[in-house]
Amino acid sequence: MKTGMNLLLWTGAADKSHIPLIETIASWGFDGVEFPMFAPDCSPWTDLAFVLDGHGLGRTAVTVLPSGANLIGEDAAERKAAVEFLNHCIDACSELGAETLAGPLYSPVGRLVGRGPVEDEIRWCVEGLRAVGEHASEAGVLIAIEALNRFETYFLNTQADTAAIVDQVGLPSVQQMYDTFHANIEEKKLGEAIRKAGKRICHVHVSANDRSTPGEDHIDWKGTFAALKGIGYDRWLTIEAFGSWLPDIAGATCIWRKMAPSEEHLAKEGLAWIKECWG
């Protein structure tokens, strides 16, 4: 098991000014850092990789599709744009040395159409992820598809929904992510959802039910970690939280109030809780 800290608590785009933060995260005892990659060219990936290597830190990345890029859109140009965007992110992951690219990689966050998914959308998603997955295989990057709660997407809401897509894509490079925040809303039984997804889970976001400090909330963490151990999970447990002072991110996550005493408190106490629960 490896512990990671997502930089979204501080920034939506890391640059050289965040090098001291990365060094601080290393001093707190994390094994790695997760980078927002909302625009693949937004950060000096090679320079950041040099710093990470110097501190022995692993790395992952998370992204969302921008407006005009949609793997499940009716417009073929939007579907093509989504594949091109994700392939660009994979190339950036290679430059950064990130082993995993995670996120809801099928449709822009917050896109709701007043119905559930239809067969064409499922087919387009599988076709698009297969194309992206082939590029990821060549680059040595693992794709982790994220289910979101029903208020952020209508397409994939549960681990079962996501597993069905992963199975249809049929590539080892395309798997799924388990996010405790979204699962807390959508899954009837957290442990059962994890066990059914099984080995398809290749990445985990540790996120409190209120997006604050893990362990200071009501999620069944011990049951969650027990289920992850039960499927043999031994990859990243990455804390994901968001800062209300980042306007673009606050708008997407609807976080308007201070969620923790400090960013340091959230990161350090969350890490301690993960280690305590994982044992």
Side-chain angles (χ1 to χ4, degrees):
M1 181 272 290
K2 298 175 288 186
T3 56
M5 185 68 217
N6 193 312
L7 291 187
L8 280 169
L9 184 58
W10 295 272
T11 182
D15 56 35
K16 290 183 181 179
S17 71
H18 295 100
I19 289 174
L21 171 61
I22 291 170
E23 293 172 338
T24 298
I25 289 172
S27 74
W28 288 339
F30 285 92
D31 300 308
V33 179
E34 185 158 276
F35 289 84
M37 197 176 277
F38 300 150
D41 295 329
C42 67
S43 299
W45 303 121
T46 301
D47 293 333
L48 293 172
F50 179 80
V51 173
L52 293 156
D53 288 342
H55 289 276
L57 291 171
R59 64 224 71 161
T60 59
V62 62
T63 192
V64 296
L65 289 176
S67 177
N70 185 5
L71 276 189
I72 61 173
E74 293 183 4
D75 187 343
E78 285 196 348
R79 299 197 298 274
K80 180 181 178 182
V83 171
E84 291 174 348
F85 174 83
L86 293 174
N87 282 345
H88 198 176
C89 287
I90 290 166
D91 293 339
C93 283
S94 294
E95 189 176 351
L96 175 63
E99 62 187 71
T100 303
L101 177 66
L105 309 182
Y106 38 86
S107 181
V109 176
R111 181 175 179 270
L112 301 170
V113 296
R115 57 162 173 78
V118 297
E119 287 300 318
D120 278 346
E121 292 171 330
I122 294 171
R123 176 171 55 83
W124 291 328
C125 183
V126 170
E127 290 173 353
L129 288 177
R130 194 171 288 147
V132 171
E134 289 172 354
H135 186 62
S137 296
E138 296 172 357
V141 175
L142 191 59
I143 299 295
I145 306 301
E146 180 180 16
L148 303 182
N149 70 77
R150 74 193 76 177
F151 308 108
E152 297 182 37
T153 187
Y154 67 96
F155 190 67
L156 297 181
N157 299 131
T158 68
Q159 291 298 295
D161 294 339
T162 313
I165 292 290
V166 167
D167 288 349
Q168 288 187 61
V169 173
L171 292 174
S173 59
V174 179
Q175 301 297 321
Q176 67 194 74
M177 177 167 74
Y178 183 82
D179 184 295
T180 59
F181 170 81
H182 298 293
N184 179 67
I185 296 172
E186 295 295 343
E187 304 290 356
K188 291 186 180 298
K189 295 182 179 180
L190 302 183
E192 183 176 329
I194 291 168
R195 287 187 288 272
K196 286 185 175 180
K199 297 293 186 180
R200 302 177 190 86
I201 297 176
C202 69
H203 196 58
V204 172
H205 271 177
V206 175
S207 187
N209 71 277
D210 61 349
R211 294 293 201 188
S212 60
T213 309
E216 297 177 359
D217 64 326
H218 70 223
I219 287 177
D220 176 15
W221 292 107
K222 293 184 179 180
T224 295
F225 291 150
L228 288 169
K229 284 186 175 183
I231 64 169
Y233 185 79
D234 194 30
R235 296 179 61 84
W236 289 100
L237 296 176
T238 297
I239 295 177
E240 182 188 52
F242 305 92
S244 61
W245 50 90
L246 302 173
D248 293 342
I249 296 172
T253 58
C254 297
I255 294 175
W256 313 116
R257 66 186 188 274
K258 189 175 179 63
M259 301 306 295
S262 68
E263 298 95 328
E264 180 176 354
H265 172 93
L266 193 155
K268 292 173 70 174
E269 294 302 317
L271 176 60
W273 180 251
I274 290 172
K275 290 182 175 180
E276 178 183 338
C277 289
W278 194 263

